[in-house]
Every structure is written in structure tokens, then in C-alpha cells.
Amino acid sequence: MSAPLSGPRSAPQAPGREPVRRGLPRTSRTARQHAPITATGLVVKVVLLGLVAGIAIWAAFPLIEAEHWIALGVLAVTTAGLFYLYLSRRHIPAKYLVPGTLFLIAFQVFPVLYTASTAFTNFGDGHRGTKDDAIVAVQTASVKQVPGSTEYNLTIATTGDPATGSLTFLLSDPKTKEVFAGDADGLRKLDAADVEVSSLSGKITAADGYTLLNIGQASSRSDAVTALVVPTDEGAIRSNGLTRAYEGKAIRAYDAACDCVKDSETGKTWTADEESGSFVAADGERLAQGWKVGVGLKNFATVLTDRNISGPFFGTLAWNFAFAIGSTGLTFLLGMAIALALHSPRMRGTNLYRMVLILPYAMPSFAMLLIWRDMFNTDFGLLNNLFGLNVDWFGGNWSARIAVVLVQLWLGYPYMFLVATGALQAIPRELTEATSVDGASPWQSFRAVTLPLLLVALSPLLIASFAFNFNNVNAILFTTEGGPFAPDNPTNGATDLLITYTYRLAFGAQGAEFGLAATVSIFIFAIVATVSAISFRRTRKQEEVYS
């Protein structure tokens, strides 16, 4: 009689005991419970959540004052979500992911979105604030002293720290002996008992609640003193040096009926142009004081069609590609050649050679760039003196470009040498030995086996190096500063990259153009992203072939 077909019998279990499932995780209530929080962990959690609450409260007041209700709602929801997440015992993975995500949004996503939004505005010098701010600036800048008006004795004071506190004008009228305090909020009379006035100069020498600045302290803040305007019923009070002040009257005033600014002396009128954010006269003259408005795709059209912008832009773009490709390609070729030489089994003293060859990589790059700039000096530079040359390296367009690429070659090859050395050591020697057995020459073996495998390993690093060199602002600013410059174009030099050209647009001495600079930044981002995406796609195909 045959035994019944069945699986192995389990051992009998003791009464009242659940069977033990070997190899499977326990699912009992005790196993699902989290380990208790230690006292130290609790203190850290309370401190961090208290810090979050403090930052949220600190950020809420400016948002309420500016009536940014959407931003305030986002702040409230984010803060409440963080408290719920970290006070709950659930959502363990989110506890680790949320901090990194918030930092990513704050330091990567938000700056990119802000830059993109700026590209669609006229934001820049003369167009920074609102229309109301522009009107105040127009009227303030046109203040002139009224003939026969009172000239006050002036003492500069603050209501806090002399270096950073809000400035106040302490004024004494030499005719009526009255004393006043004035700031951006207006003029108010002071009680004579609260101040001391010098009998010789007539200036206020002490005042309750104010810190008086001496001549040195006032001189260090001369720009702020000059900019301070005290509004009055008749006009405004402005400083005349550091010891006198006068009451003036604005000759340009805003008329809401015509939405324009009128000059009382000349009768000229500037009408508000909402599209450009400026006050424009009939003859096309624009007042320097404007306001920030959206301009749509105007900045993009300007970059592509305006000769003053598009000419330098496309010329700089071509050089930018040449610089990035040349810097990346030459450093890779030199680093790989050195790595191949030291990878040979017949080579001796490789550790010493490697230590010497990576010295440029160990030095601070900005310091080395400054040293190389001096080495290329025409009169006392090492290169000209050592080789008996008389080359004005930074005076010609192509000599300056060659100099910049040579500097990048010296600074960049150690990195390529290190990564190529690591990649070579990961390639099995059996592959190259097999090609030798088949009768291949060393060059054929390198081209058919070593180089493709190197490129598979190093392609992502080469793409990253290209992106870095495409925006390598230090390499230009610390050596050529973008020059040499053409006499008719001081804003764009022969060695300028798009990033240095953008910097000069945004912070140039001739006036900041943040909107145009943001537009160029978007073009840079699009170019680098496109090149990187295409390169990574080709890299994946190459990996599939050699995998």
C-alpha cells in the first residue's frame, strides 16, 4: 500500500502557541511598534520644531505687511505639514526626504523660477520698484532750493547705531531759534528743553533720544545723507553738505488727471507708458525713474534681433562653445595620455610621478589663475622672459583666447588624469592581451578596446566637465576679465563667455539690466541642458553596445 502524496509534515505545535514561520518577518503588534524616542532625540526634535516655528513667525510679518496672502498660505501649510510629519510616528521615509526636498526647492527650484520670471520684465536700474516709487523718485530728484527760503543749521543723527541706524536731520532755524527733527516721514518740532544748541555755530549739540554723528561718521554715510529728503508742506528739506540744509520745492510734479509728470519751469510733460514702465515725452525723452512691469517676450526678441545685443551674443556663444569643447577635450587627451603612460607595466616610479602630476589639482584654482595672469604679462611675465618672446598675450583676441585655454589645460588635466587612471585599472588586462594574441598593434588595441571602454566610464564626467567649463566664470574674470575689448564695445570682450557677458549686463557700470541678464541666463540653461541630454542619450547607447 503506497503512502499518500503530500508535502513534508510539520512538527506538532505546543498547545496555545502560534506556529513560527521561518524566513518571514514578524507581523505582531510589538514588531510593528517603533523604538521609543530617547530623551536626547526628544530634545533635538523640540529644538528643531521650535526653530521652524520661529522662522515661520519671523517670515509671516513681512508677508502680512506686503499683503502676499498666497505666500502666507503656503508658509502656513508648509509649517503645519512639518509639525504633523515630525510629531507623528508614521511616514518614516518622508521624514528623511522632506528636508532635502525643501532645500532643493529653496536653493534650486525657486532661484530658477525667479530668474525665469525676471526675464519677462524690464527689471533693472530705473525700473526696480512700483509706479508710486517712481513718482516719488521723480519729484524728489527735482527738488530745488526756493529763493529766500530758510537755510537751517544741520546736525546728522541716528536713532540707533551710528553706522547702520536710520538717519535723522536735527535742524535749528538761525532766525527763529526753533529746533526740528526730520526724516523720511516728515518734519516735527522739538521741545527746546530736550536739546542743546551751540551758541557759536547754532547747531544742535545734544538731543534726547538721538545719537549725534561726528564729521567722520557722517562722511562715511554721505550717500545716505544726500539721499535723505524730509517732506514738508511747501516742498522738501535736503542737505547742503554736512552742516547745512535747505527747504526746496519739486519743479516736477505728478498729475493724476493726465497720468503724467509736469515740469513747472519748462512746461514739458512726460506721459506714463504702462508697457515700458516709463514716463515718456512727446519727443521720445524718457525720465530715468521708471517702474517694473511685465514686457512679455520683448527681452528674448531683443537678444535675438537687436544688433547691439545679438551681435555680441552670437559671437560670444561661438567662442563659448570653442572654449568649453577645447578645455574639456584637451584636458581629457592630455590626462588620458599621461594615465596610459603610467599604466604601462614597464613604467617605474609611478607613485612619485602621480604625486607630482596632481599638484595643480591640489592648489586653489583662483590663486593659480592670478599667478598665470602675471606669468602672461608682456613686460615681466615668466613665459616671455623664459622663451625670449615679446607677445602681448592679453592684447590680441586670439592670443588672449589661447592663453585662457592653456591655463585651463594646466588646471584641468590632473582631474582627467585621475579619473582616466581609475578607469584604466578597471579594464581587465585579458582584453588587451587577447587583441595582442590576435595580432593587433598597440594602436589598434587601444582604438578597438581601451578607448571605447574608457569613454563608457568617463562620458558622464566629460559631460559634467563641459557644463562646468561652459559657465567657468573664474577662468575669465581672474585672467583676462573678458578682454580685450573693442573701442566701440566696452561691454563685450574677446574672451567673454556668456556667463561673464551676462554678469556685465546685470551689474555693469553703465546700468544694470537684470531682465536682459535673466534672458541670457535662460539661453545658457537651455543650451547646456540640450547638449547634456543629447550626450547622455548617446552615452546610454554606447553602454548598451559595450555592456
Side-chain angles (χ1 to χ4, degrees), residues 143-145 150-151 236-240 244-248:
V143 172
K144 288 187 177 181
Q145 186 171 1
T150 302
E151 188 170 7
I237 295 176
R238 305 190 70 165
S239 64
N240 184 13
R244 294 287 186 272
Y246 65 88
E247 183 175 10

Side-chain angles (χ1 to χ4, degrees), residues 107-343:
F107 296 108
Q108 291 290 337
V109 177
F110 178 76
V112 170
L113 293 178
Y114 181 76
T115 301
S117 64
T118 303
F120 296 93
T121 68
N122 64 343
F123 187 35
D125 281 351
H127 300 274
R128 294 175 180 259
T130 64
K131 186 177 181 179
D132 292 338
D133 296 332
I135 293 171
V136 172
V138 168
Q139 296 179 153
T140 300
S142 66
V143 172
K144 288 187 177 181
Q145 186 171 1
V146 177
S149 62
T150 302
E151 188 170 7
Y152 297 94
N153 295 313
L154 171 65
T155 301
I156 312 297
T158 68
T159 54
D161 183 74
T164 60
S166 299
L167 292 178
T168 301
F169 287 168
L170 298 180
L171 308 167
S172 62
D173 190 330
K175 296 179 181 179
T176 63
K177 305 302 180 182
E178 293 180 315
V179 290
F180 305 90
D183 52 26
D185 295 329
L187 188 69
R188 53 192 177 278
K189 189 175 181 179
L190 297 177
D191 191 342
D194 296 333
V195 300
E196 295 180 8
V197 180
S198 172
S199 58
L200 297 178
S201 63
K203 294 177 58 178
I204 295 176
T205 57
D208 291 346
Y210 295 97
T211 302
L212 277 60
L213 275 60
N214 57 38
I215 295 297
Q217 293 171 329
S219 298
S220 65
R221 304 187 63 182
S222 59
D223 292 341
V225 172
T226 303
L228 179 57
V229 177
V230 181
T232 64
D233 295 336
E234 300 297 328
I237 295 176
R238 305 190 70 165
S239 64
N240 184 13
L242 299 177
T243 59
R244 294 287 186 272
Y246 65 88
E247 183 175 10
K249 186 175 182 179
I251 62 173
R252 292 177 180 175
Y254 175 74
D255 187 350
C258 63
D259 194 17
C260 62
V261 173
K262 295 181 178 180
D263 191 309
S264 59
E265 289 186 348
T266 64
K268 194 171 185 178
T269 301
W270 293 265
T271 305
D273 182 6
E274 297 294 345
E275 292 185 0
S276 63
S278 304
F279 290 103
V280 186
D283 58 2
E285 180 189 1
R286 296 174 181 268
L287 294 180
Q289 301 86 355
W291 60 97
K292 182 179 176 181
V293 295
V295 295
L297 298 175
K298 181 181 178 181
N299 289 330
F300 294 87
T302 300
V303 171
L304 297 176
T305 60
D306 189 335
R307 287 186 177 181
N308 296 327
I309 302 294
S310 62
F313 175 81
F314 287 110
T316 302
L317 177 61
W319 157 243
N320 207 149
F321 268 107
F323 172 78
I325 294 172
S327 298
T328 304
L330 291 177
T331 54
F332 171 67
L333 292 176
L334 180 58
M336 181 182 62
I338 297 174
L340 287 170
L342 296 183
H343 188 64

Side-chain angles (χ1 to χ4, degrees), residues 318-491:
W319 157 243
N320 207 149
F321 268 107
F323 172 78
I325 294 172
S327 298
T328 304
L330 291 177
T331 54
F332 171 67
L333 292 176
L334 180 58
M336 181 182 62
I338 297 174
L340 287 170
L342 296 183
H343 188 64
S344 174
R346 293 177 294 178
M347 194 71 180
R348 296 292 181 266
T350 54
N351 290 334
L352 177 62
Y353 286 126
R354 286 169 181 165
M355 182 182 67
V356 174
L357 289 169
I358 65 172
L359 282 179
Y361 192 56
M363 302 293 182
S365 61
F366 73 92
M368 293 297 98
L369 289 169
L370 295 176
I371 292 174
W372 273 97
R373 183 182 66 182
D374 292 339
M375 290 172 63
F376 279 111
N377 186 276
T378 304
D379 299 321
F380 55 83
L382 176 63
L383 292 179
N384 279 357
N385 291 332
L386 183 64
F387 297 104
L389 303 175
N390 189 26
V391 179
D392 184 7
W393 290 97
F394 296 149
N397 292 353
W398 286 105
S399 59
R401 290 168 178 170
I402 292 172
V404 168
V405 173
L406 288 176
V407 173
Q408 283 304 107
L409 178 61
W410 189 83
L411 289 174
Y413 86 85
Y415 171 74
M416 293 299 178
F417 161 67
L418 289 175
V419 296
T421 299
L424 284 173
Q425 292 176 351
I427 298 176
R429 290 189 180 271
E430 292 80 3
L431 296 178
T432 55
E433 291 174 356
T435 58
S436 300
V437 172
D438 291 339
S441 65
W443 167 249
Q444 291 173 330
S445 176
F446 169 75
R447 189 179 61 180
V449 177
T450 306
L451 182 59
L453 293 176
L454 272 178
L455 291 178
V456 169
L458 300 185
S459 289
L461 298 178
L462 291 175
I463 296 170
S465 180
F466 171 84
F468 173 80
N469 284 315
F470 200 87
N471 293 312
N472 195 345
V473 62
N474 290 345
I476 303 302
L477 289 184
F478 287 154
T479 50
T480 65
E481 297 181 354
F485 294 90
D488 59 343
N489 187 10
T491 62

